[in-house]
Amino acid sequence: MKYSYLGKTGMKVPVLSFGASSLGGVLHSVREAEAIRAAFTAIEHGMNFIDVSPYYGHTKAETVLGKALTELQRESFLLSTKVGRYGAGGVNTWDYSAGRTRESVFESMERLHVDYIDLINVHDIEFADLSQVVDETLPALVELREKGLVGHVGITDLQLENLKWVIDHVPEGTVESVLNFCHYTLNDDKLVDFLDYFEEKGVGVINASPFAMGLLSQRGVPEWHPAPAALVEACRKASDYCLSQGYPIEKLAIQYSVSNPRIGTTLFSSANPDNVLKNIQYIEEPIDWDLVAKVKEIIGDQQRVTWKNT
């Protein structure tokens, strides 16, 4: 496993990291014992940066992950979780106030059975009043950082422009990392347009969802996927072509997403330990750049077609 430093945080992160959203049954139901084994498998094979959120499974992902973490030495992993986006009883909620932000951090630490969080993120800021994120949410997290309860502070969003706007409106060093998803994939590489900016600001970059939430998979997208039909069809054709070449699109997709050395780490999530191992093996093999070019050609004018977060 290759490692690099995430911006100026000093955190040495693997090129492929463990996203724990699947532990919350976000995409489908999971067996808890198997999900815990998936977390162990990731860490044992060098994926020692773990990302989660109270939103995933409406606290279930944090709860299940917490059971796994109790059996690990704290120094064996770096832990990232989030504030701002929540939910209960199948209903999504958002609260970016300073008070709820502080409460959320302590609630997460309790579920995760830790007394320190390496990276705390403001989750999906496009659902917030960005001025509130600047004036309330981030200052509350900086206060916790100054008290030593969290190590570093970041923000996450699908919309890259929102990430830039917030960084431009807070004191230097407030935001230490960004997490962006579905924008460094075979069908959408918009993230590269912002790398110069993030580097100039000393902000580390976390890429997420190398399979574009199922677009780049043989299984295909779930019913709830917000991508437009033309993009779904283009990615299906690309997947079929990869299969005809004996090269699963999942393999090409994850190899591509970890290929840019300017991106600190890419998050991949699975509650299946066999899938974790398979994807680790994929990134250890050389990528077929000719096949990348062919896939991009097949996707054609659907390149960089995006959607609204849900």
Side-chain angles (χ1 to χ4, degrees), residues 33-201:
E34 184 177 61
I36 290 172
R37 286 205 317 276
F40 288 157
T41 300
I43 294 169
E44 288 166 2
H45 289 81
M47 294 171 64
N48 64 330
F49 178 73
I50 308 169
D51 177 79
V52 70
S53 168
Y55 170 66
Y56 301 146
H58 295 170
T59 74
K60 181 179 178 181
E62 283 191 333
T63 300
V64 173
L65 179 61
K67 293 178 181 180
L69 298 184
T70 58
E71 300 186 38
L72 298 168
Q73 295 295 317
R74 182 63 182 89
E75 62 271 16
S76 69
F77 60 88
L78 296 167
L79 182 61
S80 166
T81 192
K82 306 180 182 74
V83 299
R85 188 169 189 180
Y86 312 100
V91 178
N92 297 333
T93 61
W94 295 264
D95 189 339
Y96 296 87
S97 66
R100 183 70 187 102
T101 293
R102 285 187 287 265
E103 289 174 357
S104 181
V105 172
F106 287 103
E107 290 168 1
S108 288
M109 287 195 291
E110 184 174 352
R111 284 189 290 268
L112 293 162
H113 303 291
V114 297
D115 57 9
Y116 174 83
I117 294 171
D118 298 279
L119 173 64
I120 190 78
N121 291 292
V122 187
H123 197 175
D124 285 348
I125 59 173
E126 68 185 89
F127 292 103
D129 175 343
L130 295 185
S131 295
Q132 184 182 33
V133 172
V134 167
D135 296 334
E136 281 194 63
T137 324
L138 285 170
L141 294 179
V142 168
E143 179 185 335
L144 294 177
R145 183 174 67 188
E146 291 171 349
K147 291 180 178 179
L149 293 168
V150 302
H152 307 282
V153 173
I155 53 178
T156 89
D157 206 351
L158 174 65
Q159 308 298 334
L160 285 152
E161 294 81 4
N162 290 341
L163 299 173
K164 181 178 183 298
W165 190 94
V166 168
I167 294 169
D168 283 340
H169 287 80
V170 294
E172 183 177 353
T174 298
V175 174
E176 298 172 89
S177 68
V178 294
L179 190 163
N180 180 251
F181 56 101
C182 297
H183 282 135
Y184 196 74
T185 63
L186 290 169
N187 62 288
D188 191 333
D189 64 354
K190 184 178 178 180
L191 179 56
V192 298
D193 295 352
F194 290 76
L195 292 179
D196 285 347
Y197 170 81
F198 292 138
E199 289 173 358
E200 175 191 334
K201 297 294 183 179

Side-chain angles (χ1 to χ4, degrees), residues 258-286:
V258 304
S259 67
N260 192 321
R262 300 174 72 189
I263 295 171
T265 189
T266 291
L267 291 170
F268 151 76
S269 184
S270 178
N272 183 326
D274 293 336
N275 282 343
V276 173
L277 274 177
K278 180 172 64 177
N279 283 282
I280 291 171
Q281 291 165 357
Y282 281 164
I283 68 166
E284 292 174 349
E285 298 178 23

